[in-house]
Amino acid sequence: KTPYLKSDPWTSVTEFIILGFPNARGVELLLFATFFLMYALTFTENVAIILVIGMDYHLHTPMYFFVSNLSFLDIGYTTVTVPKMLANIAIQSQTISITGCFTQLYIFFFLGSAECFLLTTMAYDRYLAICNPLHYTTIMDRRACLWLVLGCWLGGFLAPALPTAFIFRLPFCGSNIINHFFCDSPPLLELSCQDVFEIEVINFVVGTTVLMSSFILTMISYIFIVATILHMPTAEGRSKAFSTCASHLTIVSIFYGTTMFMYIRTKTIQTFNFNKIVSVFYSVVTPVLNPVIYSLRNNDIKQGMRKVLLKQKDTSFM
């Protein structure tokens, strides 16, 4: 391979071919239906949550402010990859321009990083509400909520900037087939005709910083929450709190476990078919589960939905 970053970054390759799931021949309809249903559920659930929280002033609280931002992130997070994947399966629309590929890469990691920071913020919010309830409203006021959410979005925006900029400058002068269902960094690095060790190190450092810092802080919050739950006076209260906490931890574990496997490593593992399965969990499965775990099981959201539906029903009769 040629020395690092010495060649023209636009050598020969003008577009990429996203391979998708070539081993799924014969079950394309089932695959398409599954992913389409999951995307439709993700989109519908999150739009409903955003509308209900926005229309019911009883839900204008810090927790639901964070939940509505999570819904925005999940809509964007899935929309940047799944529609292209569905087009690939349905009509074999596998080509993507270099600009489109790097745009998808950057937006995906921007929203994914922001979600890591937001999950940490939501865990901290629950820690304050459960472990320090007397000072909760004083600490988590409107100004603090806005700054925390702004920090999540800004952190997510900045985190992938350097890795994406370096990958963008790489020359791609051999194969243009991306062995994945979206433009992800590991398969892209495989296509470069330059040494990518330094970029792999940068990806590792950035990925470790974003994922490990947010994961550790999230776990610290939940450790304090569990410790507080154990001291609750009633068994019913402990059972209900543990049920909610266990659900949150399950989603957090799936999201962080799969993303850490994919991005906290210095050398790309060559089992790309297995990597695709892992990627499905954090890019498709967790976004469809987030609304159920964080919102739709919640009585406040259920009551808010009833109010909105009744209001719409009354309006239609007027």
Side-chain angles (χ1 to χ4, degrees), residues 12-19 94-96 172-179 188 191:
S12 73
V13 173
T14 58
E15 64 181 17
F16 292 111
I17 296 173
I18 299 177
L19 195 59
Q94 296 177 297
T95 60
I96 186 170
F172 297 96
C173 48
S175 172
N176 67 336
I177 298 175
I178 298 174
N179 190 8
L188 269 174
L191 301 182

PDB file of all heavy atoms in Angstrom, residues 12-19 94-96 172-179 188 191:
ATOM      1  N   SER A  12     -10.079   6.948  -9.307  1.00  0.00           N
ATOM      2  CA  SER A  12     -10.868   5.965 -10.064  1.00  0.00           C
ATOM      3  C   SER A  12     -12.276   5.693  -9.544  1.00  0.00           C
ATOM      4  O   SER A  12     -13.224   5.729 -10.309  1.00  0.00           O
ATOM      5  CB  SER A  12     -10.095   4.640 -10.220  1.00  0.00           C
ATOM      6  OG  SER A  12     -10.052   3.953  -9.003  1.00  0.00           O
ATOM      7  N   VAL A  13     -12.466   5.420  -8.276  1.00  0.00           N
ATOM      8  CA  VAL A  13     -13.790   5.061  -7.770  1.00  0.00           C
ATOM      9  C   VAL A  13     -14.670   6.302  -7.657  1.00  0.00           C
ATOM     10  O   VAL A  13     -14.307   7.280  -7.018  1.00  0.00           O
ATOM     11  CB  VAL A  13     -13.682   4.371  -6.393  1.00  0.00           C
ATOM     12  CG1 VAL A  13     -15.069   4.163  -5.791  1.00  0.00           C
ATOM     13  CG2 VAL A  13     -12.968   3.041  -6.519  1.00  0.00           C
ATOM     14  N   THR A  14     -15.834   6.277  -8.303  1.00  0.00           N
ATOM     15  CA  THR A  14     -16.762   7.423  -8.262  1.00  0.00           C
ATOM     16  C   THR A  14     -18.052   7.091  -7.524  1.00  0.00           C
ATOM     17  O   THR A  14     -18.826   7.984  -7.213  1.00  0.00           O
ATOM     18  CB  THR A  14     -17.119   7.878  -9.693  1.00  0.00           C
ATOM     19  OG1 THR A  14     -17.698   6.786 -10.400  1.00  0.00           O
ATOM     20  CG2 THR A  14     -15.875   8.367 -10.429  1.00  0.00           C
ATOM     21  N   GLU A  15     -18.287   5.808  -7.284  1.00  0.00           N
ATOM     22  CA  GLU A  15     -19.458   5.397  -6.523  1.00  0.00           C
ATOM     23  C   GLU A  15     -19.174   4.050  -5.859  1.00  0.00           C
ATOM     24  O   GLU A  15     -18.229   3.348  -6.220  1.00  0.00           O
ATOM     25  CB  GLU A  15     -20.702   5.298  -7.419  1.00  0.00           C
ATOM     26  CG  GLU A  15     -20.591   4.247  -8.488  1.00  0.00           C
ATOM     27  CD  GLU A  15     -21.820   4.180  -9.385  1.00  0.00           C
ATOM     28  OE1 GLU A  15     -22.621   5.125  -9.396  1.00  0.00           O
ATOM     29  OE2 GLU A  15     -21.967   3.145 -10.077  1.00  0.00           O
ATOM     30  N   PHE A  16     -19.985   3.727  -4.880  1.00  0.00           N
ATOM     31  CA  PHE A  16     -19.847   2.452  -4.190  1.00  0.00           C
ATOM     32  C   PHE A  16     -21.075   1.586  -4.458  1.00  0.00           C
ATOM     33  O   PHE A  16     -22.149   2.097  -4.783  1.00  0.00           O
ATOM     34  CB  PHE A  16     -19.704   2.659  -2.673  1.00  0.00           C
ATOM     35  CG  PHE A  16     -18.409   3.309  -2.267  1.00  0.00           C
ATOM     36  CD1 PHE A  16     -18.397   4.602  -1.767  1.00  0.00           C
ATOM     37  CD2 PHE A  16     -17.207   2.618  -2.373  1.00  0.00           C
ATOM     38  CE1 PHE A  16     -17.215   5.199  -1.387  1.00  0.00           C
ATOM     39  CE2 PHE A  16     -16.017   3.212  -1.991  1.00  0.00           C
ATOM     40  CZ  PHE A  16     -16.017   4.507  -1.494  1.00  0.00           C
ATOM     41  N   ILE A  17     -20.892   0.297  -4.304  1.00  0.00           N
ATOM     42  CA  ILE A  17     -21.990  -0.669  -4.394  1.00  0.00           C
ATOM     43  C   ILE A  17     -22.162  -1.290  -3.005  1.00  0.00           C
ATOM     44  O   ILE A  17     -21.233  -1.890  -2.466  1.00  0.00           O
ATOM     45  CB  ILE A  17     -21.702  -1.767  -5.428  1.00  0.00           C
ATOM     46  CG1 ILE A  17     -21.600  -1.156  -6.822  1.00  0.00           C
ATOM     47  CG2 ILE A  17     -22.801  -2.836  -5.390  1.00  0.00           C
ATOM     48  CD1 ILE A  17     -21.149  -2.140  -7.889  1.00  0.00           C
ATOM     49  N   ILE A  18     -23.340  -1.092  -2.420  1.00  0.00           N
ATOM     50  CA  ILE A  18     -23.625  -1.649  -1.097  1.00  0.00           C
ATOM     51  C   ILE A  18     -24.156  -3.062  -1.288  1.00  0.00           C
ATOM     52  O   ILE A  18     -25.239  -3.263  -1.846  1.00  0.00           O
ATOM     53  CB  ILE A  18     -24.637  -0.775  -0.332  1.00  0.00           C
ATOM     54  CG1 ILE A  18     -24.059   0.640  -0.130  1.00  0.00           C
ATOM     55  CG2 ILE A  18     -24.985  -1.404   1.012  1.00  0.00           C
ATOM     56  CD1 ILE A  18     -25.003   1.602   0.552  1.00  0.00           C
ATOM     57  N   LEU A  19     -23.385  -4.033  -0.837  1.00  0.00           N
ATOM     58  CA  LEU A  19     -23.695  -5.433  -1.117  1.00  0.00           C
ATOM     59  C   LEU A  19     -24.978  -5.891  -0.430  1.00  0.00           C
ATOM     60  O   LEU A  19     -25.741  -6.689  -0.976  1.00  0.00           O
ATOM     61  CB  LEU A  19     -22.519  -6.317  -0.667  1.00  0.00           C
ATOM     62  CG  LEU A  19     -22.502  -7.747  -1.176  1.00  0.00           C
ATOM     63  CD1 LEU A  19     -22.488  -7.781  -2.705  1.00  0.00           C
ATOM     64  CD2 LEU A  19     -21.289  -8.480  -0.621  1.00  0.00           C
ATOM     65  N   GLN A  94     -28.383  -0.745  -5.404  1.00  0.00           N
ATOM     66  CA  GLN A  94     -27.208  -0.954  -4.570  1.00  0.00           C
ATOM     67  C   GLN A  94     -26.171   0.160  -4.674  1.00  0.00           C
ATOM     68  O   GLN A  94     -25.291   0.248  -3.823  1.00  0.00           O
ATOM     69  CB  GLN A  94     -26.553  -2.293  -4.928  1.00  0.00           C
ATOM     70  CG  GLN A  94     -27.431  -3.504  -4.646  1.00  0.00           C
ATOM     71  CD  GLN A  94     -26.771  -4.788  -5.090  1.00  0.00           C
ATOM     72  OE1 GLN A  94     -26.509  -4.994  -6.267  1.00  0.00           O
ATOM     73  NE2 GLN A  94     -26.489  -5.657  -4.132  1.00  0.00           N
ATOM     74  N   THR A  95     -26.258   0.984  -5.677  1.00  0.00           N
ATOM     75  CA  THR A  95     -25.223   2.006  -5.855  1.00  0.00           C
ATOM     76  C   THR A  95     -25.489   3.231  -4.985  1.00  0.00           C
ATOM     77  O   THR A  95     -26.640   3.578  -4.710  1.00  0.00           O
ATOM     78  CB  THR A  95     -25.141   2.455  -7.326  1.00  0.00           C
ATOM     79  OG1 THR A  95     -26.408   3.007  -7.722  1.00  0.00           O
ATOM     80  CG2 THR A  95     -24.786   1.292  -8.235  1.00  0.00           C
ATOM     81  N   ILE A  96     -24.400   3.857  -4.558  1.00  0.00           N
ATOM     82  CA  ILE A  96     -24.471   5.091  -3.791  1.00  0.00           C
ATOM     83  C   ILE A  96     -23.243   5.924  -4.146  1.00  0.00           C
ATOM     84  O   ILE A  96     -22.135   5.395  -4.292  1.00  0.00           O
ATOM     85  CB  ILE A  96     -24.535   4.819  -2.269  1.00  0.00           C
ATOM     86  CG1 ILE A  96     -24.767   6.108  -1.482  1.00  0.00           C
ATOM     87  CG2 ILE A  96     -23.289   4.097  -1.785  1.00  0.00           C
ATOM     88  CD1 ILE A  96     -25.070   5.891   0.001  1.00  0.00           C
ATOM     89  N   PHE A 172      -9.701   5.451  -3.025  1.00  0.00           N
ATOM     90  CA  PHE A 172     -10.354   4.158  -3.244  1.00  0.00           C
ATOM     91  C   PHE A 172     -10.149   3.807  -4.705  1.00  0.00           C
ATOM     92  O   PHE A 172     -10.855   4.312  -5.585  1.00  0.00           O
ATOM     93  CB  PHE A 172     -11.845   4.244  -2.898  1.00  0.00           C
ATOM     94  CG  PHE A 172     -12.097   4.559  -1.447  1.00  0.00           C
ATOM     95  CD1 PHE A 172     -12.319   5.863  -1.042  1.00  0.00           C
ATOM     96  CD2 PHE A 172     -12.098   3.557  -0.501  1.00  0.00           C
ATOM     97  CE1 PHE A 172     -12.542   6.162   0.291  1.00  0.00           C
ATOM     98  CE2 PHE A 172     -12.320   3.837   0.831  1.00  0.00           C
ATOM     99  CZ  PHE A 172     -12.544   5.151   1.232  1.00  0.00           C
ATOM    100  N   CYS A 173      -9.150   2.956  -4.969  1.00  0.00           N
ATOM    101  CA  CYS A 173      -8.759   2.704  -6.352  1.00  0.00           C
ATOM    102  C   CYS A 173      -8.847   1.225  -6.729  1.00  0.00           C
ATOM    103  O   CYS A 173      -8.325   0.816  -7.756  1.00  0.00           O
ATOM    104  CB  CYS A 173      -7.342   3.227  -6.595  1.00  0.00           C
ATOM    105  SG  CYS A 173      -6.147   2.723  -5.350  1.00  0.00           S
ATOM    106  N   GLY A 174      -9.499   0.430  -5.880  1.00  0.00           N
ATOM    107  CA  GLY A 174      -9.656  -0.984  -6.211  1.00  0.00           C
ATOM    108  C   GLY A 174     -11.121  -1.332  -6.306  1.00  0.00           C
ATOM    109  O   GLY A 174     -11.884  -0.727  -7.060  1.00  0.00           O
ATOM    110  N   SER A 175     -11.541  -2.296  -5.513  1.00  0.00           N
ATOM    111  CA  SER A 175     -12.952  -2.689  -5.488  1.00  0.00           C
ATOM    112  C   SER A 175     -13.791  -1.566  -4.873  1.00  0.00           C
ATOM    113  O   SER A 175     -13.332  -0.834  -4.000  1.00  0.00           O
ATOM    114  CB  SER A 175     -13.124  -3.964  -4.657  1.00  0.00           C
ATOM    115  OG  SER A 175     -14.489  -4.256  -4.465  1.00  0.00           O
ATOM    116  N   ASN A 176     -15.013  -1.422  -5.355  1.00  0.00           N
ATOM    117  CA  ASN A 176     -15.926  -0.419  -4.797  1.00  0.00           C
ATOM    118  C   ASN A 176     -17.152  -1.076  -4.135  1.00  0.00           C
ATOM    119  O   ASN A 176     -18.169  -0.422  -3.935  1.00  0.00           O
ATOM    120  CB  ASN A 176     -16.388   0.553  -5.889  1.00  0.00           C
ATOM    121  CG  ASN A 176     -17.264  -0.122  -6.931  1.00  0.00           C
ATOM    122  OD1 ASN A 176     -17.190  -1.332  -7.125  1.00  0.00           O
ATOM    123  ND2 ASN A 176     -18.086   0.669  -7.601  1.00  0.00           N
ATOM    124  N   ILE A 177     -17.027  -2.361  -3.801  1.00  0.00           N
ATOM    125  CA  ILE A 177     -18.144  -3.100  -3.204  1.00  0.00           C
ATOM    126  C   ILE A 177     -18.021  -3.054  -1.682  1.00  0.00           C
ATOM    127  O   ILE A 177     -17.056  -3.559  -1.107  1.00  0.00           O
ATOM    128  CB  ILE A 177     -18.166  -4.555  -3.692  1.00  0.00           C
ATOM    129  CG1 ILE A 177     -18.376  -4.599  -5.205  1.00  0.00           C
ATOM    130  CG2 ILE A 177     -19.284  -5.329  -2.984  1.00  0.00           C
ATOM    131  CD1 ILE A 177     -18.292  -6.002  -5.784  1.00  0.00           C
ATOM    132  N   ILE A 178     -19.009  -2.417  -1.025  1.00  0.00           N
ATOM    133  CA  ILE A 178     -19.052  -2.343   0.437  1.00  0.00           C
ATOM    134  C   ILE A 178     -19.817  -3.552   0.955  1.00  0.00           C
ATOM    135  O   ILE A 178     -21.017  -3.683   0.705  1.00  0.00           O
ATOM    136  CB  ILE A 178     -19.728  -1.030   0.901  1.00  0.00           C
ATOM    137  CG1 ILE A 178     -18.921   0.178   0.434  1.00  0.00           C
ATOM    138  CG2 ILE A 178     -19.886  -1.001   2.421  1.00  0.00           C
ATOM    139  CD1 ILE A 178     -19.595   1.513   0.723  1.00  0.00           C
ATOM    140  N   ASN A 179     -19.129  -4.415   1.677  1.00  0.00           N
ATOM    141  CA  ASN A 179     -19.755  -5.637   2.183  1.00  0.00           C
ATOM    142  C   ASN A 179     -20.523  -5.330   3.470  1.00  0.00           C
ATOM    143  O   ASN A 179     -20.138  -5.740   4.574  1.00  0.00           O
ATOM    144  CB  ASN A 179     -18.694  -6.706   2.425  1.00  0.00           C
ATOM    145  CG  ASN A 179     -19.308  -8.065   2.708  1.00  0.00           C
ATOM    146  OD1 ASN A 179     -20.524  -8.243   2.582  1.00  0.00           O
ATOM    147  ND2 ASN A 179     -18.488  -9.027   3.084  1.00  0.00           N
ATOM    148  N   LEU A 188     -15.513   0.199   4.704  1.00  0.00           N
ATOM    149  CA  LEU A 188     -14.930   1.249   3.866  1.00  0.00           C
ATOM    150  C   LEU A 188     -13.406   1.230   3.937  1.00  0.00           C
ATOM    151  O   LEU A 188     -12.724   1.380   2.919  1.00  0.00           O
ATOM    152  CB  LEU A 188     -15.453   2.624   4.299  1.00  0.00           C
ATOM    153  CG  LEU A 188     -16.715   3.149   3.619  1.00  0.00           C
ATOM    154  CD1 LEU A 188     -17.175   4.446   4.278  1.00  0.00           C
ATOM    155  CD2 LEU A 188     -16.478   3.374   2.128  1.00  0.00           C
ATOM    156  N   LEU A 191     -11.565  -1.091   1.669  1.00  0.00           N
ATOM    157  CA  LEU A 191     -11.508  -0.789   0.236  1.00  0.00           C
ATOM    158  C   LEU A 191     -10.401   0.190  -0.138  1.00  0.00           C
ATOM    159  O   LEU A 191     -10.126   0.384  -1.317  1.00  0.00           O
ATOM    160  CB  LEU A 191     -12.859  -0.202  -0.222  1.00  0.00           C
ATOM    161  CG  LEU A 191     -14.093  -1.085  -0.012  1.00  0.00           C
ATOM    162  CD1 LEU A 191     -15.336  -0.394  -0.564  1.00  0.00           C
ATOM    163  CD2 LEU A 191     -13.896  -2.452  -0.661  1.00  0.00           C
TER     164      LEU A 191
END
